[in-house]
Structure formats: C-alpha cells, structure tokens
Amino acid sequence: MKSDLTKAMEQLQEGQYTCVLCRGDIMYTSRERGVRPLLDWLDGDADIRGFSAADKVVGKAAAFLYVLLGVKEIYAHVVSRAAMGVFKENHISFSYDIATDYIINRQGTGCCPMEEAVSGISRPEDAPEAIRRRLEELKRRSL
C-alpha cells in the first residue's frame, strides 16, 4: 500500500500539477503557479490537517502556508533553505531534490517576490497578510 506522500509525489509528476495534497482517498491538486493554491486552500472549507504534500517549488512563503494548513509532511522538487528552516522549526517532515539559497523570480532576474515578502517574518501566522499585500502590489504593477 502506497503512502500518502508517495501518492502525492506520483500525481505531481504524472498529472503535471504544481502541487498535490493527499490523505487516504482524498486528493487536492492544482496547476496554478506560486502560492495562490495554498492561499485558496487556507481560505476555503477544506480541512488539510494531516495531509501529505508534494510541490514543485517551495520557498519560505509557501512553507509558512503549509504550516498553517497543517500538513504533516512535504516533498519539494526545489526548496529554499529558508523553507527548510520553517519546516524544521514546525516539526514538518520534508524531502527534496534540490536545495537552493532562495527561490528565483519568474523572470530569472532575482529573488522571488513572495520569498522577499516574508524574509523578515518568523511566525507562520504573520505570513498570509504579507503575502497578500505583495500579491496585490504585483497585481497593481501589471495593470
């Protein structure tokens, strides 16, 4: 019998998802990039506590959101060292393929804006507001 984490990892690869959450027969998936699906799950009705997660890219912002969602374990294809620190501090088991100093923005020109938004934050509960503020700033800039 496959573990929830193994099932989530397989779906991440086979389904071309950006993130997958799995517990037993229940699975949540997303193809959206960035932290948007995590915020949606955090704001929604789904109870994610105790789920296993597989994600393509996890920076510190996503790590804080996973803590708030209550996942028990996570696999990330790419993870930032700051995210690894968040997982360790919050006793979330994690595995990864590639560890990096920081997540690169989509243009490949510097640090991810979400990673920057939470750089000075140490408590998970303070992260969503900072993340939403940054998302709003980015949205206004693109108009």
Side-chain angles (χ1 to χ4, degrees):
M1 186 147 123
K2 293 181 186 175
S3 72
D4 289 338
L5 187 59
T6 299
K7 288 191 279 187
M9 290 170 67
E10 287 175 354
Q11 280 301 308
L12 184 74
Q13 301 300 329
E14 294 168 11
Q16 298 180 345
Y17 297 109
T18 54
C19 58
V20 177
L21 302 174
C22 183
R23 186 180 71 200
D25 293 335
I26 304 168
M27 190 172 294
Y28 297 98
T29 61
S30 180
R31 288 191 171 98
E32 288 185 77
R33 294 174 65 181
V35 296
R36 175 56 54 201
L38 303 179
L39 284 171
D40 290 346
W41 287 323
L42 192 61
D43 294 340
D45 304 359
D47 183 0
I48 309 291
R49 288 174 295 177
F51 275 64
S52 298
D55 200 316
K56 294 249 183 212
V57 179
V58 179
K60 187 176 181 183
F64 279 140
L65 296 176
Y66 276 119
V67 168
L68 294 172
L69 285 167
V71 301
K72 70 175 184 176
E73 60 185 347
I74 185 164
Y75 155 80
H77 176 64
V78 176
V79 66
S80 72
R81 296 196 199 302
M84 291 166 54
V86 169
F87 292 139
K88 286 177 187 172
E89 288 169 20
N90 291 279
H91 312 288
I92 294 176
S93 173
F94 65 94
S95 58
Y96 58 90
D97 293 325
I98 300 166
T100 185
D101 289 333
Y102 61 92
I103 303 303
I104 297 171
N105 64 24
R106 292 181 186 170
Q107 296 77 27
T109 58
C111 187
C112 166
M114 296 304 110
E115 193 109 323
E116 288 174 343
V118 299
S119 64
I121 293 176
S122 58
R123 297 176 346 137
E125 54 272 15
D126 296 332
E129 182 182 337
I131 293 167
R132 286 187 176 96
R133 245 190 341 262
R134 182 59 57 92
L135 285 170
E136 196 56 42
E137 288 170 16
L138 293 170
K139 190 170 152 185
R140 279 196 306 271
R141 281 189 216 159
S142 68
L143 296 178

